[in-house]
Amino acid sequence: MSEYKRPLPQITEYTQAFWQAAKNGQLMIQECRRCGHKQWYPRPSCTSCGSLDLGWRQSSGKGSIHSFTVIRRVVANSPDFQRDIPFVIAEVDLDEGVRMYARVEASPEQVRVGQRVKVSFREATPEITLYTFSPSA
Ligand SMILES: [Zn+2]
């Protein structure tokens, strides 16, 4: 594993279970125990009914690209991103009905709206395993 120098997510009490599962190769989404609403990103309450009674459900990790953008210039204070450009950030609609933002591991020419993608995981540090999506058949 090469050293990962880019900014990393901050683990909070609401995201701890998500990142722990990612270390085990599982993509988790929150599910409301009151109304059944599923959501991403992890947060303290249901965005549909306001309940604080949230659980977790494992996603299949499969979905399709709703929209995407190609990052061709990085102005953030992380020069390590410079090595990655151009790269693709997409809104991915998981098959479970949840939309999430994610990096897509493909050249911009290979990405299109509606394309099927699947999740994969890459260990960044002993604490954080990042998720990305790549085109699937
Ligand atoms: Zn709810």
Side-chain angles (χ1 to χ4, degrees), residues 31-37 45-51 53-54:
E31 185 172 46
C32 177
R33 290 190 180 109
R34 185 203 285 175
C35 76
H37 177 74
S45 62
C46 174
T47 58
S48 178
C49 76
S51 172
D53 189 12
L54 298 172

Side-chain angles (χ1 to χ4, degrees), residues 64-119:
S64 59
I65 292 180
H66 171 77
S67 180
F68 69 96
T69 189
V70 179
I71 309 298
R72 299 186 187 277
R73 193 171 72 129
V74 175
V75 294
N77 59 359
S78 178
D80 295 300
F81 280 122
Q82 294 289 342
R83 287 194 305 257
D84 298 346
I85 56 174
F87 59 91
V88 176
I89 302 292
E91 289 183 311
V92 173
D93 285 341
L94 295 174
D95 289 348
E96 292 81 11
V98 174
R99 181 170 292 163
M100 64 188 303
Y101 291 103
R103 179 91 170 250
V104 175
E105 299 291 338
S107 68
E109 296 77 23
Q110 296 174 302
V111 179
R112 59 179 169 68
V113 169
Q115 182 171 24
R116 295 292 294 167
V117 291
K118 64 178 180 182
V119 75

